[in-house]
Amino acid sequence: MPNMETENSSVSRAEELKALANEAFRAKKYSQAIDLYSQAIELNSQNAVYYANRAFAHTKLEEYGSAIQDASKAIEIDPRYPKGYYRRGAAYLAMGKFKEALKDFQQVKKLSPNDPDAAQKVKECEKAVKKLKFEEAIAVPESERHSVADSIDYQSIEVEPQYSGARIEGDVITLDFVKKMMDDFKNQKCLHKRYAFQIVLQTREMLRALPSLVDIDIPDGKHFTVCGDVHGQFYDLLNIFELNGLPSEENPYLFNGDFVDRGSFSVEVILTLFAFKCMCPSAIYLSRGNHESKSMNKIYGFEGEVRSKLSETFVELFAEVFCCLPLAHVLNQKVFVVHGGLFSVDGVKLSDIKTIDRFCEPPEEGLMCELLWSDPQPLPGRGPSKRGVGLSFVVRSHEVKDEGYEIEHDGKLITVFSAPNYCDQVTKL
């Protein structure tokens, strides 16, 4: 009898924790919600709802690997629970894994035939899978593929007399031009395509010449600023420059990936960063993030924004240039800076990173994938990636932090996130 009472007490407390977790979720405190759902699971590990809810919170933090694990556990506990399949399908869809997502949404439709959202998701996935098959069928072999950059002659593009925006005189991109361009962007004016092409093509040439791992020497007594994800928040980028000064040889920056997607001004952000790179290569360094990829750009908005503000040609051009971005940087041979994190295997050397052939879309596994997608965990050792995929310390980005940064592992790991208004959540710079 006492055992039954204890069990009932645990179940009751688990429900209380779930209610608190739901409140935290509604307040967009997703990490707190995950912690509370985890406490509920410790008290009652056979409740599929707790796992499905925690999966939803993981998805909000882009921790799709953890979301898939939790949703799969919910399905294992209750194979007829539609939300388990829905949560897993949503995580697969967010990762661009349309075939896997389609199977899960078909199962939701089977279990809940009158659910209009499930029916819509099935249609969406079917369309994406058909498109993938078509693209695979007409794909040109890598050896025969031509660069879209080679087909663009920006100098032949006429600038209309009535155009009153920023202009590049000749081949040199100056600080005056960049300031005028940023001011135009601030007033939501567009840059002429001729100059946009010039910026992106010049940046491409610079990035192509760099190794996959870039060494940066910072002289004694000089400072160096590392910024995390910006995610299309142009006005936040302006705020960074207002607080910390514009990029220059004396005030250098490293932007650590995820420049685009989610925010409404990704085109303005990427053109500004690229323009500073052209103006002075040592004033700004750029690392690739997991959102500098075709699959993420299709899902999270950059592709559509580029098509709307510029043209279809720019969609292809940006995809090419993103493949030229370095994967990591080392500051003064002591500080390793990377967008995601470290590796699932031992013995990876800096020389291994330098030899990665990065000129491609990110693969689903291997060193390049982990550099872009991995996350740290609180305890020493390794665990399954939340995402599904000789140094003093590591600086990385990739995760929302309420204070704008977080220091872990006795000061050996710093996460920096630089989009204060990301997904309508305000974080401090």
Side-chain angles (χ1 to χ4, degrees):
M1 191 71 175
N3 287 341
M4 184 69 75
E5 287 176 7
T6 303
E7 189 176 320
N8 288 339
S9 172
S10 294
V11 170
S12 176
R13 177 59 182 153
E15 281 296 297
E16 289 173 11
L17 287 163
K18 183 193 86 167
L20 291 171
N22 290 349
E23 283 180 28
F25 186 95
R26 283 191 288 271
K28 298 184 179 179
K29 297 176 180 177
Y30 302 121
S31 295
Q32 185 182 336
I34 288 168
D35 184 51
L36 289 163
Y37 287 131
S38 299
Q39 292 178 47
I41 288 167
E42 283 177 21
L43 293 169
N44 182 7
S45 63
Q46 293 305 303
N47 190 314
V49 175
Y50 301 166
Y51 287 99
N53 285 8
R54 191 169 71 175
F56 196 14
H58 278 304
T59 300
K60 289 291 186 181
L61 293 176
E62 293 190 22
E63 296 169 357
Y64 304 125
S66 293
I68 289 164
Q69 282 184 319
D70 276 349
S72 297
K73 183 65 178 176
I75 292 163
E76 181 188 315
I77 293 168
D78 184 358
R80 296 195 60 76
Y81 181 47
K83 275 191 180 176
Y85 296 98
Y86 190 95
R87 300 293 181 229
R88 191 168 70 181
Y92 278 133
L93 187 60
M95 294 176 75
K97 295 188 174 184
F98 300 111
K99 292 175 187 174
E100 293 89 339
L102 178 58
K103 289 177 187 174
D104 278 333
F105 288 128
Q106 284 172 333
Q107 190 64 24
V108 177
K109 192 176 175 185
K110 187 176 173 183
L111 293 168
S112 304
N114 297 321
D115 183 340
D117 190 46
Q120 179 60 36
K121 285 286 193 293
V122 168
K123 280 185 184 176
E124 187 181 329
C125 289
E126 283 176 341
K127 185 178 176 183
V129 169
K130 279 182 185 175
K131 188 177 179 186
L132 279 176
K133 285 181 179 175
F134 176 73
E135 286 174 351
E136 285 169 9
I138 64 167
V140 177
E142 193 74 39
S143 58
E144 298 174 25
R145 207 167 288 169
H146 296 291
S147 165
V148 67
D150 294 337
S151 67
I152 298 165
D153 177 15
Y154 67 84
Q155 292 175 325
S156 68
I157 299 172
E158 185 184 346
V159 180
E160 300 78 9
Q162 62 267 33
Y163 173 72
S164 60
R167 292 171 180 262
I168 302 170
E169 301 298 334
D171 293 330
V172 180
I173 293 172
T174 63
L175 179 58
D176 285 342
F177 163 78
V178 181
K179 284 180 176 177
K180 166 66 173 160
M181 182 185 71
M182 288 195 298
D183 200 47
D184 287 347
F185 287 160
K186 190 176 177 181
N187 295 307
Q188 298 194 27
K189 294 179 182 176
C190 294
L191 179 68
H192 198 282
K193 288 176 189 176
R194 182 206 188 283
Y195 305 123
F197 273 128
Q198 183 171 347
I199 290 167
V200 180
L201 289 168
Q202 285 188 14
T203 304
R204 175 178 174 268
E205 289 308 303
M206 288 182 188
L207 296 177
R208 284 175 74 195
L210 295 172
S212 292
L213 177 70
V214 176
D215 287 295
I216 301 173
D217 292 319
I218 305 164
D220 289 345
K222 298 293 183 181
H223 67 272
F224 189 90
T225 303
V226 179
C227 293
D229 305 30
V230 181
H231 273 304
Q233 304 288 349
F234 179 67
Y235 295 94
D236 289 344
L237 180 64
L238 291 181
N239 193 37
I240 290 169
F241 293 152
E242 182 72 27
L243 292 170
N244 201 58
L246 293 174
S248 69
E249 203 156 2
E250 292 298 308
N251 188 36
Y253 284 81
L254 194 169
F255 281 85
N256 200 24
D258 282 11
F259 320 120
V260 301
D261 282 336
R262 295 195 178 274
S264 302
F265 303 99
S266 292
V267 166
E268 288 79 0
V269 166
I270 199 67
L271 288 177
T272 298
L273 295 178
F274 281 5
F276 273 117
K277 185 69 179 171
C278 294
M279 180 199 83
C280 180
S282 60
I284 195 165
Y285 298 86
L286 304 168
S287 270
R288 192 172 191 175
N290 62 302
H291 275 266
E292 277 71 57
S293 68
K294 283 183 184 178
S295 59
M296 291 291 107
N297 296 162
K298 277 182 191 295
I299 300 166
Y300 292 102
F302 182 58
E303 184 179 300
E305 186 187 333
V306 171
R307 199 174 277 120
S308 169
K309 291 178 180 177
L310 294 167
S311 69
E312 184 68 40
T313 304
F314 273 98
V315 173
E316 294 179 57
L317 182 58
F318 277 118
E320 265 188 29
V321 179
F322 287 164
C323 292
C324 301
L325 286 161
L327 303 177
H329 294 76
V330 174
L331 313 182
N332 285 357
Q333 300 182 333
K334 290 184 179 179
V335 182
F336 183 62
V337 187
V338 65
H339 179 72
L342 302 180
F343 311 100
S344 59
V345 294
D346 289 326
V348 178
K349 300 173 183 175
L350 296 180
S351 57
D352 296 325
I353 300 171
K354 284 186 177 177
T355 59
I356 294 172
D357 181 4
R358 72 184 188 277
F359 298 96
C360 61
E361 288 302 308
E364 292 192 7
E365 58 185 14
L367 298 187
M368 181 172 170
C369 173
E370 291 175 341
L371 285 164
L372 302 182
W373 280 95
S374 288
D375 287 308
Q377 58 183 19
L379 299 174
R382 296 190 184 91
S385 169
K386 292 186 290 186
R387 308 278 175 166
V389 296
L391 298 159
S392 296
F393 64 93
V394 174
V395 178
R396 42 89 62 182
S397 304
H398 196 42
E399 289 183 286
V400 180
K401 298 297 177 185
D402 291 340
E403 297 296 317
Y405 70 96
E406 184 174 84
I407 301 172
E408 301 171 86
H409 293 282
D410 299 322
K412 291 180 181 176
L413 174 69
I414 301 173
T415 296
V416 57
F417 192 90
S418 302
N421 296 302
Y422 176 76
C423 293
D424 301 320
Q425 297 179 83
V426 176
T427 56
K428 298 173 186 173
L429 274 174

